[in-house]
Amino acid sequence: MFYPKRYYDKKEDIPVEEYYKQGYRGILFDIDNTLVPHDEPVDEAAEIFVEKLHRIGFRICLISNNDKERVKMFADPLGVQYVYKAWKPARRGYLEGMAILHTNLENTLFVGDQIFTDIWGANRTGLHSILLDPINPKEEIQIILKRIPEKLVKWLYRKKNDLKKGEYDTK
């Protein structure tokens, strides 16, 4: 329930072309520490990454527990849809994101950095979940505290998939 389907170091490591060839057409993204450092505005790396996804043909929707102002400020410059106050790990935000994109469980990916909100919610919904390591360790205290048990889950995930430290993809 807490294991992602795939685990990569950073967003640029995701083989997005391969996922598109496999039939995926929509990607739901968390924002903070997935696309940019926590509470940061859109940066050049996020712009380049999202532009690449659009060129490939992906539709994108941001799924965030943040308020509308934060999510809209991030989504508008990227030209993507969004769901704010998604209450992850509740299923509602993920389902709403798929409805916005006109996608379904079989052709939608979810990408996030937190196991107990992002990945658990995506798995509960039935999505193909992708875990990324957080971009920046600067986070709110409640997130820092969740990172402690996340280390155990990541270790168990690597052990289950016979991965060494630094290896992420189970291929």
Side-chain angles (χ1 to χ4, degrees), residues 28-109:
L28 307 175
F29 276 102
D30 174 54
I31 299 172
D32 289 321
N33 258 340
T34 298
L35 290 172
V36 294
H38 189 77
D39 267 344
E40 292 292 320
V42 172
D43 62 15
E44 185 178 0
E47 288 175 347
I48 290 168
F49 186 69
V50 169
E51 183 179 308
K52 175 183 177 178
L53 295 173
H54 281 143
R55 276 195 320 272
I56 292 169
F58 280 108
R59 292 178 294 245
I60 299 165
C61 184
L62 306 176
I63 307 295
S64 177
N65 287 346
N66 278 302
D67 61 25
K68 184 175 183 177
E69 181 181 339
R70 163 71 176 140
V71 182
K72 181 175 174 32
M73 173 200 66
F74 193 87
D76 286 353
L78 295 175
V80 299
Q81 302 289 326
Y82 60 89
V83 175
Y84 65 95
K85 292 203 183 276
W87 297 101
K88 295 178 290 181
R91 297 175 67 230
R92 179 193 64 81
Y94 301 90
L95 296 172
E96 188 176 335
M98 285 187 293
I100 288 168
L101 296 179
H102 304 287
T103 60
N104 57 49
L105 293 173
E106 289 75 37
N107 66 3
T108 308
L109 302 168

